[in-house]
Amino acid sequence: MSYVILDLEWNTAYSKSVRKFVNEIIEFGAVKVDGGLQILGEFSRLIAPQVKKKLSGRVKELTHLTNEDIADGDSFLAVSRSFTDFVGDSTVMTWGTTDIHTLMENYELFTHDKRIPFLHRYCDLQEYCERAIDRYDEGCQIGLGRFADLIGIAYSEEEQHRAVNDAGLSLKCLQKVREALPLEDYILQADCDAFYERMLFKNYFITDLTSPDVDSKQLTFCCDACGSQAKRLKKWRLRNKSFNADFYCRACDRRFSARVSFKKRFDGVKVTRKIIS
């Protein structure tokens, strides 16, 4: 088993052909490692953009790349073919799924097909590493630099936001937390329709309690003081994508409010419950 940790840099530009803004990839950077996470090779290539020839000021500031640098790059498809050879049968990893969505966007732009030819198996390193230190929160993901700080990995701010350097920092984070969780549990089969359906699925909050996705058992609450089941006093009220209601506990003569939300995801519904007073 081998792994390729990939990082991308891109420039946001308006495409007249698709009539929308796209994140046009300008750099591929990656490290390939063996099963023991020892480096086997590196990949670093610049891409000459086709949608917009000039980099935005923000991208120049972050990457320290110039318009002259990227003008000497190869085409997206040429770099993609070389990277496909580099990956081979390895599992691809990225810090979060944003790079995967950006790849899908670029393949659709240049080939009219969202599928990523080198993606056979995939692992979201951000989720894996956050879970490894028990800090995973879908609504508040941790950036790569911040995560490195949390686990005590030193890095240069000047080197960040160049693709191969960020891939290397992702590897250091993985090496530091690898023993905490089985990595194989976080690897998805990616060369199938289900993977793309998962990537394209837009999570949303359920705002109708009559939805078949709502488990009515989640609408009952027990008193947090004595543990007895409480009685709901008023109808559920929707506020900021959560349902709120007042409850009364007869056992200890106590009133409290509770909040519950239902977030529809590709693989089910995430329920968040909280007693708020």
Side-chain angles (χ1 to χ4, degrees):
M1 176 67 73
S2 59
Y3 308 100
V4 170
I5 301 173
L6 169 66
D7 188 84
L8 304 171
E9 301 297 338
W10 58 78
N11 188 50
T12 302
Y14 185 80
S15 170
K16 293 181 180 179
S17 63
V18 295
R19 297 181 181 179
K20 65 178 183 179
F21 283 94
V22 296
N23 294 320
E24 187 176 14
I25 297 171
I26 57 170
E27 185 178 28
F28 272 63
V31 290
K32 178 183 276 190
V33 297
D34 61 20
L37 303 185
Q38 299 304 304
I39 295 178
L40 300 173
E42 292 187 350
F43 185 97
S44 182
R45 295 276 294 277
L46 293 175
I47 295 171
Q50 303 301 307
V51 177
K52 183 180 180 181
K53 304 296 184 181
K54 293 185 178 181
L55 298 175
S56 70
R58 178 62 173 160
V59 171
K60 288 181 181 179
E61 180 183 352
L62 286 174
T63 64
H64 305 294
L65 288 170
T66 67
N67 294 324
E68 291 72 26
D69 291 331
I70 60 170
D72 292 333
D74 293 315
S75 70
F76 171 79
L77 292 179
V79 173
S80 170
R81 285 191 290 269
S82 296
F83 188 69
T84 299
D85 292 338
F86 177 78
V87 171
D89 193 43
S90 302
T91 296
V92 174
M93 300 173 161
T94 61
W95 191 267
T97 59
T98 303
D99 282 350
I100 298 302
H101 286 102
T102 303
L103 280 166
M104 291 167 62
E105 182 179 44
N106 278 250
Y107 274 105
E108 183 177 35
L109 180 65
F110 293 113
T111 72
H112 307 293
D113 186 351
K114 282 187 172 72
R115 288 184 176 264
I116 303 167
F118 55 78
L119 206 58
H120 310 297
R121 291 173 305 280
Y122 172 71
C123 175
D124 178 352
L125 272 186
Q126 185 177 51
E127 178 177 352
Y128 173 82
C129 289
E130 288 179 4
R131 289 190 183 277
I133 64 169
D134 197 24
R135 290 288 297 271
Y136 179 73
D137 180 351
E138 184 183 15
C140 186
Q141 296 175 320
I142 305 173
L144 177 58
R146 173 62 180 148
F147 188 87
D149 288 335
L150 283 173
I151 62 174
I153 293 177
Y155 64 94
S156 168
E157 292 280 358
E158 291 298 315
E159 292 178 352
Q160 263 209 293
H161 304 296
R162 286 302 302 271
V164 73
N165 294 335
D166 282 352
L169 183 57
S170 297
L171 171 60
K172 290 179 182 178
C173 291
L174 174 59
Q175 290 170 331
K176 188 78 176 282
V177 304
R178 171 68 183 276
E179 299 303 318
L181 293 172
L183 187 57
E184 57 272 16
D185 291 351
Y186 292 84
I187 295 176
L188 301 174
Q189 194 67 31
D191 52 358
C192 57
D193 290 341
F195 176 81
Y196 289 90
E197 290 170 5
R198 175 188 290 270
M199 288 295 113
L200 292 170
F201 186 84
K202 302 292 186 182
N203 295 343
Y204 63 90
F205 283 94
I206 297 170
T207 57
D208 180 1
L209 288 179
T210 65
S211 167
D213 290 314
V214 171
D215 180 359
S216 60
K217 294 179 182 178
Q218 300 295 338
L219 299 174
T220 61
F221 278 80
C222 292
C223 176
D224 60 337
C226 71
S228 300
Q229 184 166 330
K231 179 183 178 180
R232 180 164 52 83
L233 298 175
K234 295 182 179 180
K235 292 182 178 180
W236 287 101
R237 307 177 302 276
L238 180 64
R239 183 180 180 184
N240 296 330
K241 302 178 183 178
S242 296
F243 294 95
N244 299 262
D246 298 324
F247 285 80
Y248 174 66
C249 174
R250 288 193 180 95
C252 60
D253 189 26
R254 177 173 177 268
R255 292 174 181 261
F256 63 89
S257 297
R259 177 188 299 149
V260 60
S261 66
F262 302 89
K263 190 173 188 179
K264 179 68 173 177
R265 309 190 324 183
F266 175 79
D267 52 0
V269 177
K270 179 184 178 182
V271 181
T272 304
R273 292 159 43 92
K274 186 177 182 181
I275 292 177
I276 54 180
S277 67

